[in-house]
Amino acid sequence: MKILVTGFDPFGGEKVNPAIEAVKKLPDAIDGNEIIKLEVPTIFYQSAQVVKAKIEQEKPDMVINVGQAGGRSAITPERIAINFQAGSTPDNSGKGPKEGKIETDGADGYFTQLPIKQMVTAIRQVGIPAMVSNSAGTYVCNHLFYEVQYMRVHEFPDLKAGFIHIPFLPNQVKNGRRPSMSLNDMVTGLTAAIKEAIHD
Amino acid sequence: MKILVTGFDPFGGEKVNPAIEAVKKLPDAIDGNEIIKLEVPTIFYQSAQVVKAKIEQEKPDMVINVGQAGGRSAITPERIAINFQAGSTPDNSGKGPKEGKIETDGADGYFTQLPIKQMVTAIRQVGIPAMVSNSAGTYVCNHLFYEVQYMRVHEFPDLKAGFIHIPFLPNQVKNGRRPSMSLNDMVTGLTAAIKEAIHD
Amino acid sequence: MKILVTGFDPFGGEKVNPAIEAVKKLPDAIDGNEIIKLEVPTIFYQSAQVVKAKIEQEKPDMVINVGQAGGRSAITPERIAINFQAGSTPDNSGKGPKEGKIETDGADGYFTQLPIKQMVTAIRQVGIPAMVSNSAGTYVCNHLFYEVQYMRVHEFPDLKAGFIHIPFLPNQVKNGRRPSMSLNDMVTGLTAAIKEAIHD
Amino acid sequence: MKILVTGFDPFGGEKVNPAIEAVKKLPDAIDGNEIIKLEVPTIFYQSAQVVKAKIEQEKPDMVINVGQAGGRSAITPERIAINFQAGSTPDNSGKGPKEGKIETDGADGYFTQLPIKQMVTAIRQVGIPAMVSNSAGTYVCNHLFYEVQYMRVHEFPDLKAGFIHIPFLPNQVKNGRRPSMSLNDMVTGLTAAIKEAIHD
């Protein structure tokens, strides 16, 4: 099995993005299954194009996008991607999203194909906080999650795909007001989650 | 310089107490200053007696009590101990505290002698979330903090003393609803804080 | 125009449910449009049957289901209903939901037909906290929201439908640890939201 | 009995301060006891001078200062005033406080003379969220609370004094991210609290 795991590049004035930091530290293989790692730009549509090119090149069985959800205390596999984008913060292209549907002919929502409940259990079993999330928001994380689902429906019917949100790193929230998770714990948790998804 | 650092034993059905776990992993010396480690029972008054016996035996220059503050996201040096105890949860003796003053002739509050603002800066400089706390609560943490201050006033006038609260460990809050901090980060942060207090 | 507004009955040991309390206090007409009020049981599937019977009887142009989202600080119109139910808490029939899809042949998600962004603006204009929510959860609130959307697709194509979550009432959270909203403010906010939906 | 109740004027760009709004709406007498209302400037030291002048003029038996604690969900009578001030936000004089002790010869902390636990019970009995707070912070609220205690010790030994924090008003947090309380509920809760303090 071949698994493509992506992480966003740093965004919004942050020097690091825990997503790509954690993805880079994943093992290159899990139980003999190849882990392909890809950094994607935090840019609407462009992030999806970068992922699509990699899917066409590598033909993975599974795609897992990883992104930061600042303020959460846990690793949170996402249940559903929604066909809506909004947000006043500019992405890394300097522009915010055009508010509205991501794909005019897309479904309102697409469920992930990943076994998110079992993944949460697997993450907890290695001692790391985890819970299922029912909303990936309306910014670039949900956008990419939705676009990969839309590609799956229209072009890659055998693909399994999903999205995992991770917390801030400790050094992003040194003032202490918001929760964080160490990079090691993110890597441990993500590895357990991917392993579970492989063996589903 | 000799520094006594204490941590509470596991409490309230938890199998571990991050306080004593973190304290046990501190180095035995920081910049040539001896770190004496002591596990204290999570029991009103008895915890203070155990600390007092150790102070008399070791004659430390500084006492730092470490305890868990479940729900916090950061390492939080405490500013003030207050002469009040309450709480319906039994301590490890099986009884809760008698609600009211801790010491009938004690001051309402005692400030710590530790340089808490600089300690917070030092913790942040090693990348770990930290902030000053203005309340150690009214349970056994504040109790021990207060009792050590009361001892200082009455018996050990040269002592510097203070209290540092630490968050949950990740495996204590695996359901993901509350913030946590890795043991390594706690140890890194506490070490930086103690180093700062030594050089104050 | 005819608007059916529903509220759940008390649930989970609570003596009141702010949803039905607020719905009962709505005006009987808003700008000349009839407001029909309906109490629904906090029971999976049965709640939807009760609403369906009322839709068939009254033939409303719009259905707005109101439910409690304990822990939120604001009135939150929901964006999307998802085809998934779970939860270990028994509903008012004494049983929890069978975890999984609500309708085996339903879409993964259905967007509301209500102008939620404008409704949020209208609520704020009368001084009441409001924000769009991207998840109605996976319990009976989302269930009813989803079922009404499913009915709309299959039986009532002209219907506009949506769901609004409201906070706890103050007397439900007297210990002070969770946010609440006064009944008057709920009624003021809901009235403004419904008025906006009517004139959309 | 004569009770002086104070509220701060609007601060930090806000158009209203719930403290003075709520105080103005209190009854002029509670169970035959006169309630004297006073607006105080949100300015370090000057707020205390204004209160002192009123105490000298009116000779109240009790002083209750009311202030806003943005982010709290409940009415929170404060247990202790501490001899420390800090904060980078300018007060209404345009300057922030000089960080450090409020009174160089003052005690580290002073407990309130009000029956805060019973007041919390009384507030809850009228259906309003309440809890005791163990920290009034380090800004102008704690400052005034401390200064009144300091006056009490040095000049008005028979005075009973205390501080009550109240949440945001709904229209201060219309974006819905932070908790609030309606003005009516604040007045109801404060009235119950003052009544309890009178009959203590």
Side-chain angles (χ1 to χ4, degrees):
Chain A
M1 211 179 191
K2 213 184 224 187
I3 300 103
L4 172 60
V5 187
T6 78
F8 288 104
D9 62 2
F11 164 70
E14 299 280 348
K15 284 176 188 167
V16 296
N17 189 320
I20 186 59
E21 297 304 312
V23 168
K24 281 192 287 191
K25 279 183 169 287
L26 289 173
D28 293 319
I30 295 180
D31 292 349
N33 301 278
E34 188 185 356
I35 306 297
I36 303 158
K37 305 166 190 178
L38 178 67
E39 180 164 340
V40 294
T42 304
I43 301 178
F44 285 85
Y45 296 103
Q46 196 174 319
S47 54
Q49 289 160 9
V50 169
V51 173
K52 187 176 179 180
K54 198 73 173 183
I55 293 174
E56 289 169 338
Q57 177 195 329
E58 294 281 358
K59 303 193 191 329
D61 303 281
M62 193 182 289
V63 175
I64 300 179
N65 306 117
V66 179
Q68 170 186 302
R72 293 192 188 169
S73 303
I75 296 178
T76 51
E78 295 289 343
R79 188 186 306 282
I80 190 165
I82 69 171
N83 191 8
F84 184 77
Q85 62 187 14
S88 53
T89 312
D91 65 18
N92 280 348
S93 76
K95 291 182 293 189
K98 189 180 167 201
E99 183 165 325
K101 288 201 172 191
I102 297 167
E103 296 289 345
T104 50
D105 66 346
D108 290 353
Y110 293 118
F111 282 139
T112 183
Q113 291 72 49
L114 304 187
I116 50 175
K117 189 177 178 181
Q118 296 94 308
M119 289 161 75
V120 162
T121 301
I123 299 168
R124 290 176 179 173
Q125 276 169 353
V126 293
I128 311 296
M131 60 191 307
V132 169
S133 166
N134 293 304
S135 173
T138 61
Y139 202 63
V140 73
C141 287
N142 174 73
H143 176 97
L144 178 57
F145 181 18
Y146 187 86
E147 285 288 68
V148 175
Q149 290 294 330
Y150 185 85
M151 288 175 208
R152 179 187 60 78
V153 168
H154 293 88
E155 300 180 69
F156 312 114
D158 296 331
L159 191 68
K160 293 181 176 185
F163 196 100
I164 302 179
H165 265 123
I166 53 177
F168 280 124
L169 288 169
N171 65 13
Q172 292 179 286
V173 287
K174 285 185 291 191
N175 73 5
R177 298 190 182 280
R178 289 192 288 181
S180 59
M181 182 177 282
S182 75
L183 188 57
N184 276 347
D185 284 356
M186 289 179 179
V187 174
T188 301
L190 287 173
T191 303
I194 296 168
K195 190 168 183 168
E196 181 68 28
I198 288 170
H199 295 293
D200 182 49
Chain B
M1 213 180 191
K2 213 184 222 189
I3 300 105
L4 171 61
V5 186
T6 77
F8 287 104
D9 62 3
F11 164 69
E14 299 280 348
K15 283 178 191 165
V16 296
N17 189 321
I20 187 58
E21 297 303 313
V23 168
K24 280 193 286 192
K25 278 183 171 288
L26 289 174
D28 293 318
I30 295 181
D31 292 350
N33 300 280
E34 187 185 358
I35 306 297
I36 303 158
K37 304 166 190 177
L38 177 67
E39 181 165 340
V40 294
T42 305
I43 301 180
F44 284 84
Y45 294 103
Q46 195 173 319
S47 54
Q49 288 159 9
V50 168
V51 173
K52 186 175 178 181
K54 198 74 173 182
I55 294 173
E56 288 169 339
Q57 178 194 328
E58 295 280 359
K59 305 195 190 329
D61 303 282
M62 193 183 288
V63 174
I64 301 179
N65 305 115
V66 179
Q68 170 185 303
R72 292 193 187 167
S73 302
I75 296 178
T76 50
E78 296 289 345
R79 187 184 307 281
I80 190 165
I82 68 172
N83 191 8
F84 185 76
Q85 61 186 15
S88 51
T89 313
D91 65 18
N92 281 347
S93 76
K95 291 182 292 190
K98 189 180 168 203
E99 184 165 326
K101 289 201 171 189
I102 297 167
E103 296 290 345
T104 49
D105 66 345
D108 289 353
Y110 292 117
F111 283 139
T112 183
Q113 291 72 49
L114 304 186
I116 50 175
K117 189 175 178 182
Q118 295 94 308
M119 289 161 74
V120 162
T121 301
I123 299 169
R124 290 176 178 172
Q125 276 169 352
V126 293
I128 311 295
M131 61 193 306
V132 169
S133 166
N134 293 304
S135 172
T138 61
Y139 202 63
V140 73
C141 287
N142 174 72
H143 176 97
L144 178 57
F145 180 18
Y146 187 86
E147 286 288 68
V148 175
Q149 290 293 331
Y150 185 84
M151 287 174 212
R152 179 189 59 79
V153 168
H154 293 89
E155 299 178 70
F156 311 114
D158 295 333
L159 191 68
K160 293 182 175 184
F163 197 100
I164 303 179
H165 265 122
I166 54 177
F168 280 125
L169 288 169
N171 65 11
Q172 292 178 285
V173 287
K174 285 185 291 191
N175 74 4
R177 296 188 185 281
R178 290 193 286 181
S180 60
M181 182 177 281
S182 75
L183 188 57
N184 276 347
D185 284 357
M186 288 178 181
V187 173
T188 301
L190 287 174
T191 303
I194 295 168
K195 191 168 181 167
E196 181 67 27
I198 288 169
H199 295 292
D200 182 48
Chain C
M1 211 180 191
K2 214 184 223 186
I3 301 104
L4 172 61
V5 187
T6 78
F8 288 103
D9 63 3
F11 162 70
E14 299 279 348
K15 284 176 190 168
V16 297
N17 189 321
I20 187 58
E21 296 304 312
V23 167
K24 281 192 286 193
K25 279 183 169 286
L26 290 173
D28 293 319
I30 295 181
D31 291 350
N33 301 278
E34 187 185 357
I35 306 297
I36 303 157
K37 304 165 190 177
L38 178 67
E39 180 165 341
V40 294
T42 305
I43 300 179
F44 284 86
Y45 294 104
Q46 196 174 318
S47 54
Q49 288 159 11
V50 169
V51 173
K52 186 175 179 181
K54 198 73 173 184
I55 293 174
E56 287 169 340
Q57 178 195 327
E58 295 280 358
K59 305 195 189 329
D61 303 282
M62 193 183 287
V63 175
I64 300 179
N65 306 118
V66 179
Q68 170 186 301
R72 294 192 187 169
S73 303
I75 296 179
T76 51
E78 295 289 343
R79 189 185 305 280
I80 190 164
I82 68 171
N83 192 7
F84 184 77
Q85 61 187 15
S88 52
T89 313
D91 66 18
N92 280 348
S93 76
K95 290 182 293 191
K98 188 179 168 202
E99 184 165 326
K101 288 201 171 190
I102 297 168
E103 296 289 345
T104 49
D105 66 347
D108 290 353
Y110 292 118
F111 282 139
T112 183
Q113 291 71 49
L114 303 186
I116 50 175
K117 189 177 178 181
Q118 296 92 309
M119 289 160 73
V120 162
T121 302
I123 299 168
R124 290 176 179 174
Q125 276 169 352
V126 293
I128 311 294
M131 61 191 307
V132 169
S133 166
N134 293 304
S135 173
T138 61
Y139 202 63
V140 74
C141 287
N142 174 73
H143 176 97
L144 178 57
F145 181 17
Y146 187 87
E147 285 289 69
V148 175
Q149 290 294 331
Y150 185 85
M151 288 174 209
R152 180 189 59 78
V153 169
H154 292 88
E155 300 178 70
F156 311 114
D158 296 332
L159 191 68
K160 292 182 177 184
F163 196 100
I164 303 179
H165 265 123
I166 53 177
F168 281 124
L169 288 168
N171 64 13
Q172 294 179 284
V173 287
K174 285 185 291 191
N175 73 6
R177 299 191 181 278
R178 290 193 288 181
S180 60
M181 182 178 282
S182 75
L183 188 57
N184 276 348
D185 284 356
M186 289 179 182
V187 173
T188 301
L190 287 174
T191 303
I194 296 168
K195 190 169 183 169
E196 181 68 28
I198 289 169
H199 296 292
D200 183 48
Chain D
M1 211 180 192
K2 214 184 221 187
I3 301 104
L4 172 61
V5 186
T6 77
F8 288 103
D9 63 2
F11 163 70
E14 299 280 347
K15 283 177 189 167
V16 296
N17 189 321
I20 187 58
E21 297 304 312
V23 167
K24 281 193 286 191
K25 279 182 171 287
L26 289 174
D28 292 319
I30 295 180
D31 292 349
N33 301 280
E34 187 185 357
I35 307 296
I36 302 158
K37 305 166 191 178
L38 177 68
E39 181 165 340
V40 294
T42 304
I43 301 179
F44 284 84
Y45 295 103
Q46 195 173 319
S47 54
Q49 288 160 10
V50 169
V51 173
K52 186 175 179 180
K54 198 73 172 184
I55 293 173
E56 287 169 340
Q57 177 193 329
E58 295 281 358
K59 306 196 189 329
D61 303 282
M62 193 182 287
V63 175
I64 300 179
N65 305 116
V66 179
Q68 171 186 301
R72 293 193 187 168
S73 302
I75 296 178
T76 49
E78 296 289 345
R79 188 184 306 281
I80 190 165
I82 67 172
N83 191 8
F84 185 77
Q85 62 186 15
S88 52
T89 313
D91 66 17
N92 280 348
S93 76
K95 290 182 292 188
K98 190 182 167 200
E99 183 165 326
K101 289 201 171 189
I102 297 167
E103 296 290 346
T104 49
D105 65 346
D108 290 353
Y110 293 118
F111 283 139
T112 182
Q113 291 72 49
L114 303 186
I116 51 175
K117 189 176 179 184
Q118 295 93 309
M119 289 161 74
V120 162
T121 301
I123 299 168
R124 291 176 178 172
Q125 276 169 352
V126 293
I128 311 295
M131 61 192 307
V132 169
S133 166
N134 293 304
S135 172
T138 61
Y139 202 63
V140 73
C141 287
N142 173 73
H143 176 96
L144 178 57
F145 181 16
Y146 187 86
E147 286 288 67
V148 176
Q149 290 294 331
Y150 185 84
M151 287 175 211
R152 179 189 59 79
V153 169
H154 293 87
E155 299 178 68
F156 312 114
D158 296 331
L159 192 68
K160 293 182 176 184
F163 197 100
I164 302 180
H165 265 122
I166 54 177
F168 281 124
L169 288 168
N171 65 12
Q172 293 179 285
V173 286
K174 286 185 291 191
N175 73 5
R177 299 189 183 280
R178 290 193 287 181
S180 60
M181 182 178 281
S182 75
L183 188 56
N184 277 347
D185 284 356
M186 289 179 181
V187 173
T188 301
L190 287 174
T191 303
I194 296 168
K195 191 168 181 169
E196 180 67 28
I198 289 169
H199 295 292
D200 183 48

